[in-house]
Amino acid sequence: KQAGFTLLETVVAVAVLGLRMTGLVKGVQLGVRAWQAQTRALAERADIEAVDNMLRTLIERMDPGGVSGRPPVFKGASHSLLFTTTLPNVSDALVRREVEATLAVDDTHRLQLAWLPHQRNRLKSAPSPARITLLGDVDRVEIGYWHEPKDGWQSAWAGPMLPKLIRIRLVFVHASGQHAPDIVMMPMRDRWRP
């Protein structure tokens, strides 16, 4: 007898090898897709955390109004917020700049922060504001204002003082699948007001 494999044994071996290779390729594809999904989710979470930190910093530095009795520059609506705050310094050597900041969602579903230098007595027309896109795929922003427990959360704020708490809820476009927890913060500079 001759040593070797029959044609049938070779066909079976090739078929088994093909099945094993198919399973291996599918497993690698699944692993790559899972890795890409995790990377995307971590990037989205990092973006949301960065926006959370930035908004907390700006709102905690909100100007409560002058000691001369001027009320604060603050217009709180249910889907936008205008306030005077101090921009964070890049370097301690820079002078802190007060700005009038506006937080809102534009027509292309981008959460944007626009700001102008704050001038108490503006003599000429204001220049166009600087803008930065904080997040994309945001359907709307829902803002709530809290002052006293008896009043609860309000959808608009008009008063001579800042609210005690501000809640920002980001509602993303349904197709994006993103979710973010509510951002609730206290304007810290309000404590300094006599």
Side-chain angles (χ1 to χ4, degrees):
K1 282 186 150 185
Q2 291 182 349
F5 298 106
T6 65
L7 181 60
L8 183 60
E9 290 171 333
T10 306
V11 169
V12 168
V14 168
V16 169
L17 181 63
L19 289 173
R20 293 188 107 195
M21 289 300 290
T22 302
L24 182 63
V25 167
K26 292 293 181 185
V28 168
Q29 286 176 343
L30 179 66
V32 167
R33 274 187 256 141
W35 176 70
Q36 289 172 338
Q38 181 182 17
T39 302
R40 195 170 37 252
L42 289 173
E44 289 170 358
R45 187 177 309 143
D47 289 345
I48 291 171
E49 286 178 12
V51 169
D52 182 300
N53 290 335
M54 176 190 276
L55 292 178
R56 284 183 189 281
T57 301
L58 292 176
I59 289 178
E60 286 174 353
R61 294 176 173 203
M62 200 177 282
D63 185 6
V67 291
S68 63
R70 283 192 202 122
V73 175
F74 186 86
K75 293 179 185 167
S78 59
H79 299 294
S80 65
L81 178 61
L82 169 80
F83 57 98
T84 301
T85 188
T86 305
L87 289 179
N89 287 343
V90 186
S91 165
D92 290 336
L94 295 176
V95 177
R96 290 190 166 199
R97 291 187 350 179
E98 279 201 334
V99 296
E100 291 178 15
T102 304
L103 179 70
V105 176
D106 68 5
D107 294 336
T108 59
H109 300 290
R110 295 179 301 177
L111 178 66
Q112 290 203 330
L113 182 71
W115 69 89
L116 285 169
H118 178 64
Q119 295 177 351
R120 301 211 190 294
N121 300 319
R122 195 178 300 269
L123 298 176
K124 52 186 174 179
S125 63
S128 60
R131 294 183 183 279
I132 184 170
T133 299
L134 302 177
L135 282 175
D137 294 331
V138 179
D139 185 46
R140 66 187 181 279
V141 60
E142 297 174 352
I143 306 174
Y145 310 93
W146 177 281
H147 187 64
E148 295 293 333
K150 65 180 179 177
D151 299 331
W153 287 104
Q154 311 213 356
S155 61
W157 185 264
M161 304 173 44
L162 296 176
K164 296 295 181 196
L165 296 173
I166 299 172
R167 178 187 66 205
I168 298 176
R169 178 176 292 150
L170 301 174
V171 180
F172 290 92
V173 175
H174 183 68
S176 75
Q178 293 183 16
H179 300 284
D182 289 353
I183 304 168
V184 179
M185 64 222 99
M186 176 189 300
M188 298 296 280
R189 285 175 63 179
D190 188 40
R191 293 181 178 178
W192 303 340
R193 187 172 181 179

